[in-house]
Structure formats: structure tokens, C-alpha cells
Amino acid sequence: MTVNHPAVFSKEVISSLLIHSQKRLDKGSLVLDPFAGTGGIHSLCPPYKTIGVEIEKEWTDQNERNICADSTKLTKIFKDQKFDAIITSPPYGNRMSDQYQGDAKNSKRYTYRISLGRDLTDTNTAKFNWGNKYKLLHQQIWNECYKVLNEDGYLFLNISNHIRAGKEEAVVEWHVSTLIDIGFYIDEIVSIDTKRIKHGSNSALRADSEKLAIFKKVSP
């Protein structure tokens, strides 16, 4: 049985990724997605060679280019292998990460746990709402990404702020600041207009757009 994923790349995001990556990457570039889900990244193959890492087996198994593994351990997974680019969209830390365990079949909630049908793995960043645990896990993964990326390689990050208790959480700003601290140079930030999911108590309130933040690895 196919297990759906609640947060796949939209056609608007894929289009933006193609436009902006083709300005910077050669055909045949080796691309990694460390938050692969069911493997939407592979719609970019061609023009690129793509590999996805996904921690949940039910989602991994939906594309043969996915590897079921923990992205906090990328350097152990790939050892001496390096990538020309990382193209990815991590969880946003919004209510989709709620661990509601009620009547999932009849629930209107739209979450990772309900879609998967069980508890998420402890090191799956989708398990955590915006906060310290979310930040710690992502920081570990971004450090691993830096290490497996070629010198002068690119990181393309699709991310968005979200509304919590009527307040916009600065998710984009945190990821950008964290990646700069690790050693990335911010090349460009692009706004992408997409259809936002209209569920939950903040359904009428959404960040104005998703972002595509483009980084280049700075050689030491």
C-alpha cells in the first residue's frame, strides 16, 4: 500500500528549482536531497543525477533512487563521496509536525504522523514543532551537508515561515543564519507563490510566500 507524504514539492517549487539551478549547475551534476520523502527530487533527473535520503522506510521505498538512512550521519553513509549540490525542503516546524494520535482516519488534521500511520523516527526532524529540538537536529544535518558538498558546491533550500498563535515564526531567517554560520555564502533568496495548505486554527493566516534560498559553499 502506498503511504502518502503530506509535504511534497509543488510544481511551482520544482519550476523555480529548475530555473535557478540550471543557472549554476552543469548537466549531470550529482545532487543530494537529505529530506527526500517519497522522492520528489528525482523529477530533476535529468538534467541531474539525484540521490535522496529518507529516514522512514514507507516513504523511501516509493523511489529506487532513495536510500533509507539518517541524514544526521551523511558522512558515514557516503564516506568519501561528494555532491555538486544539495537541493532540499526540510519540515517547516509547523502544525504538520503535531503528534496527534486520535482518530486519524476521520481527522481533518494534515500531519506527517497521520499520513505515515505511526510514530515518526526519533531523528526525523518532521517529528518536532518549531523549537530547540527542531533547531538542534537541523543544525546537525546542515553540518553534515556542508561536509559532503564539493568545494564551491551549491545548496538550494525551499523553506517557509509559518504562523503560530497569530505570530509569524522566523523559520527562514533561522535556517539562513545557521547555514551562514556553518560556512555557506548566501547567493540569492527568491520568493515562490504557492497554494498554501488551509488547515488548522491559523488557516486564514499564512506566510506570504515560500522561499528558495540559494547558498554556495565557501572554501576555508
Side-chain angles (χ1 to χ4, degrees):
M1 182 179 70
T2 299
V3 178
N4 292 329
H5 193 287
V8 298
F9 282 126
S10 68
K11 63 180 182 180
E12 295 88 357
V13 169
I14 288 293
S15 176
S16 184
L17 285 170
L18 273 173
I19 290 169
H20 294 283
S21 65
Q22 287 179 322
K23 294 177 182 178
R24 296 167 171 88
L25 304 179
D26 296 328
K27 289 183 179 179
S29 290
L30 185 59
V31 171
L32 171 68
D33 183 353
F35 300 97
T38 57
I41 186 64
H42 307 305
S43 63
L44 301 181
C45 175
Y48 310 123
K49 298 175 183 177
T50 55
I51 296 176
V53 174
E54 169 54 45
I55 198 166
E56 308 298 354
K57 187 176 187 300
E58 294 93 326
W59 290 331
T60 302
D61 289 349
Q62 294 185 45
N63 196 294
E64 63 182 5
R65 292 180 178 273
N66 284 345
I67 297 170
C68 189
D70 185 344
S71 286
T72 64
K73 302 175 181 178
L74 292 177
T75 49
K76 291 183 179 179
I77 298 166
F78 295 110
K79 298 180 181 178
D80 295 329
Q81 186 175 14
K82 298 288 186 180
F83 294 86
D84 300 307
I86 292 167
I87 299 178
T88 194
S89 182
Y92 300 167
N94 55 17
R95 295 298 298 272
M96 290 179 69
S97 294
D98 285 356
Q99 297 303 298
Y100 172 73
Q101 298 186 38
D103 184 4
K105 184 177 180 180
N106 297 310
S107 175
K108 292 182 180 180
R109 299 195 185 199
Y110 199 59
T111 71
Y112 295 101
R113 191 194 182 284
I114 287 175
S115 293
L116 190 60
R118 62 168 175 81
D119 288 341
L120 277 67
T121 304
D122 286 343
T123 50
N124 187 338
T125 63
K127 188 172 184 175
F128 302 103
N129 292 124
W130 178 242
N132 289 335
K133 289 183 178 179
Y134 172 98
K135 293 176 182 178
L136 179 61
L137 267 179
H138 281 92
Q139 188 171 38
Q140 291 175 5
I141 293 171
W142 293 143
N143 273 298
E144 289 290 287
C145 286
Y146 185 88
K147 293 174 183 176
V148 300
L149 191 61
N150 278 327
E151 299 303 324
D152 300 321
Y154 284 93
L155 188 153
F156 299 81
L157 170 64
N158 171 221
I159 194 71
S160 177
N161 290 346
H162 64 268
I163 308 297
R164 175 77 57 138
K167 173 188 173 184
E168 184 168 346
E169 301 288 358
V171 180
V172 174
E173 292 79 2
W174 180 83
H175 280 282
V176 169
S177 175
T178 299
L179 287 162
I180 290 172
D181 287 345
I182 288 170
F184 286 95
Y185 165 80
I186 184 70
D187 188 19
E188 186 177 6
I189 298 180
V190 179
S191 294
I192 308 173
D193 292 325
T194 60
K195 295 179 180 178
R196 313 313 296 267
I197 297 172
K198 300 294 185 179
H199 288 285
S201 58
N202 293 309
S203 60
L205 299 173
R206 289 290 181 265
D208 60 352
S209 63
E210 295 187 46
K211 304 298 181 185
L212 175 60
I214 304 168
F215 302 83
K216 191 171 185 180
K217 182 175 179 178
V218 178
S219 301

